[in-house]
Amino acid sequence: KQQRWIDRYLGGNSRSNWEAGIKYERYIGYLCEKEGCNVKYTGATLKLNDMGRDLIAFKEKTIYIIQCKRYAQGKEVHENHLFQLFGSVAHYKKEHPNHKVIGVFVTSSQLSDVAKQCAESLSVLLYENIPFKSYPTIKCNIGKNGEKIYHLPFDQQYDNITIQFSKGEFYADTIVEAKAKDFRHAMKHLFSN
């Protein structure tokens, strides 16, 4: 049953632009984690309060503030998004003066010529035409107590979980794969008054 949910999540069309955007942010976060970054999924967890910081990726002494835009091919991204990212990066730098903070803009489409010029002037790294691709979405996480738990994209804590490959954590394609490595599904937390 859970595997059918995963297959439907990956294969189905998103019901809203927000959902399509979150799927794209999660995919880009996955790529960052594969590169050794520790990622905070702030777009998914903070929603409209993310300040244009869809992802915050930490690698060694550098912090990457990443804004993601999943647009249809042919639709151009304009400079207003670069200005928002630049402002967000400047604000983050002020709060974290001892860190190197870099703005990164990732889109499935392309940027207008003016937006590209602005990105260069503002020292924002650009990644254009990065399509959303199918990827393993089951997060297999090892807790502080050594407990092995897997999280599905629709689980309560999914976007609060960061996968660190160096700790033996990984992304699985299937429930069978996760269970074969002794991971169990995350339990829903029940809160009482």
Side-chain angles (χ1 to χ4, degrees):
K1 183 177 176 182
Q2 290 176 343
Q3 190 60 53
R4 280 199 311 267
W5 295 343
I6 292 286
D7 296 340
R8 199 174 307 135
Y9 171 82
L10 287 173
N13 290 331
S14 300
R15 291 180 295 225
S16 67
N17 288 339
W18 184 84
E19 187 179 315
I22 292 299
K23 284 182 178 180
Y24 189 62
E25 291 170 20
R26 288 173 171 172
Y27 171 64
I28 299 303
Y30 160 77
L31 296 177
C32 292
E33 287 174 340
K34 282 185 67 173
E35 292 296 318
C37 293
N38 187 349
V39 178
K40 284 187 180 179
Y41 292 82
T42 46
T45 57
L46 299 177
K47 298 182 171 90
L48 294 176
N49 296 319
D50 71 358
M51 297 179 67
R53 302 169 187 165
D54 296 326
L55 304 168
I56 302 176
F58 304 84
K59 187 169 185 182
E60 296 165 5
K61 295 186 179 192
T62 303
I63 300 171
Y64 299 93
I65 306 297
I66 305 170
Q67 190 173 106
C68 305
K69 292 292 176 203
R70 184 179 184 182
Y71 287 161
Q73 275 297 313
K75 183 174 179 180
E76 285 189 337
V77 179
H78 295 282
E79 59 278 0
N80 58 318
H81 298 292
L82 279 298
F83 295 146
Q84 180 194 30
L85 176 60
F86 178 77
S88 190
V89 169
H91 182 266
Y92 197 92
K93 281 181 182 179
K94 186 173 182 184
E95 292 180 332
H96 303 86
N98 298 325
H99 292 86
K100 180 178 180 182
V101 183
I102 297 173
V104 181
F105 194 91
V106 182
T107 180
S108 57
S109 186
Q110 54 281 332
L111 282 85
S112 70
D113 289 339
V114 173
K116 288 177 188 176
Q117 292 167 6
C118 291
E120 185 177 343
S121 298
L122 301 172
S123 300
V124 171
L125 300 178
L126 291 182
Y127 294 90
E128 298 178 278
N129 300 305
I130 307 296
F132 174 81
K133 293 183 180 178
S134 182
Y135 70 102
T137 57
I138 302 169
K139 291 184 175 185
C140 295
N141 173 253
I142 302 171
K144 290 178 184 173
N145 61 358
E147 192 172 17
K148 295 179 169 185
I149 301 172
Y150 69 82
H151 301 263
L152 305 177
F154 21 81
D155 285 344
Q156 187 178 22
Q157 293 298 316
Y158 187 82
D159 292 308
N160 292 316
I161 301 299
T162 294
I163 297 301
Q164 295 179 25
F165 292 91
S166 61
K167 286 176 46 181
E169 299 174 336
F170 65 100
Y171 282 82
D173 282 305
T174 65
I175 303 294
V176 170
E177 181 185 352
K179 287 183 174 181
K181 295 190 178 178
D182 298 322
F183 284 78
R184 68 157 179 83
H185 187 226
M187 290 184 265
K188 289 187 177 180
H189 297 284
L190 300 175
F191 299 98
S192 59
N193 295 352

